[in-house]
Amino acid sequence: MPINLKTAPRPRVGSRPTRVLRMQGRIPVNLQGEGKEALLLTIDQHEFLAARRQHEHVFMLELEGGVQDSVMVRELQWDPLGEDIIHVEFRRVDLTRETEAEVMLEFVGHPKGGVLNHLVALVTVAAIPSKIPDMIEVKVDAMELGTPLFARELVLPEGVRLVTPGTVSVGL
């Protein structure tokens, strides 16, 4: 179930106004996609971080006039130390249509007689937004020394399709 985030219009753009917004606990946001105009908004930092801790991918943004848009995070920008989110770019999504997203791989276990080289950390998958996983677990216990692990060998959750070419080597 998507989490609702209340938005407010961003009256001014530029580094000084956004710095003031961040000091007030707001995050500057861009909203794009689905053939509609791009919007410059702000969201509450605490609400957004709480939703991210619940591993939510889909959000409902409450816009002016009671309009709601279903969105996914397209890009997060962090401060140089990686402690605070300084900007979020959302893209509109249709909750009933398949969409593509990058998902992180989590390698579990130790290969037999060697060290695993992680060649790829992210793969692209397609699914309806509510079925996109946080990460894909890759069990490497059964890997033999010198045998590559291809993207086509990944075990995906039900309803999720691999978009990354199956011939891509994710580990060696």
Side-chain angles (χ1 to χ4, degrees), residues 74-92:
R74 182 170 172 258
E75 181 181 356
L76 287 176
Q77 292 179 5
W78 296 83
D79 71 337
L81 298 176
E83 295 177 358
D84 296 317
I85 296 174
I86 59 172
H87 187 268
V88 180
E89 190 168 315
F90 286 114
R91 70 179 164 119
R92 293 178 178 100

Side-chain angles (χ1 to χ4, degrees), residues 23-149:
M23 286 190 298
Q24 296 170 348
R26 308 287 297 171
I27 300 174
V29 169
N30 282 5
L31 174 60
Q32 301 177 357
E34 293 288 318
K36 298 179 184 175
E37 67 176 290
L39 299 175
L40 301 174
L41 306 166
T42 67
I43 57 174
D44 183 72
Q45 181 179 10
H46 178 71
E47 281 183 26
F48 181 69
L49 292 176
R52 294 287 292 178
R53 278 191 291 277
Q54 295 177 22
H55 302 284
E56 284 296 327
H57 295 287
V58 181
F59 301 94
M60 294 299 287
L61 293 186
E62 296 178 14
L63 307 173
E64 284 184 346
V67 176
Q68 289 192 333
D69 262 330
S70 52
V71 299
M72 288 181 62
V73 174
R74 182 170 172 258
E75 181 181 356
L76 287 176
Q77 292 179 5
W78 296 83
D79 71 337
L81 298 176
E83 295 177 358
D84 296 317
I85 296 174
I86 59 172
H87 187 268
V88 180
E89 190 168 315
F90 286 114
R91 70 179 164 119
R92 293 178 178 100
V93 292
D94 182 349
L95 297 177
T96 61
R97 280 195 350 223
E98 187 175 78
T99 188
E100 291 184 4
E102 285 190 332
V103 177
M104 184 174 289
L105 298 177
E106 183 175 310
F107 295 90
V108 178
H110 300 284
K112 296 177 184 174
V115 177
L116 176 68
N117 259 343
H118 302 237
L119 303 175
V120 174
L122 299 168
V123 293
T124 305
V125 297
I128 61 171
S130 62
K131 294 207 178 219
I132 295 174
D134 286 336
M135 56 89 181
I136 296 173
E137 193 173 275
V138 182
K139 296 187 181 190
V140 296
D141 291 337
M143 281 186 69
E144 296 292 329
L145 187 62
T147 305
L149 176 66

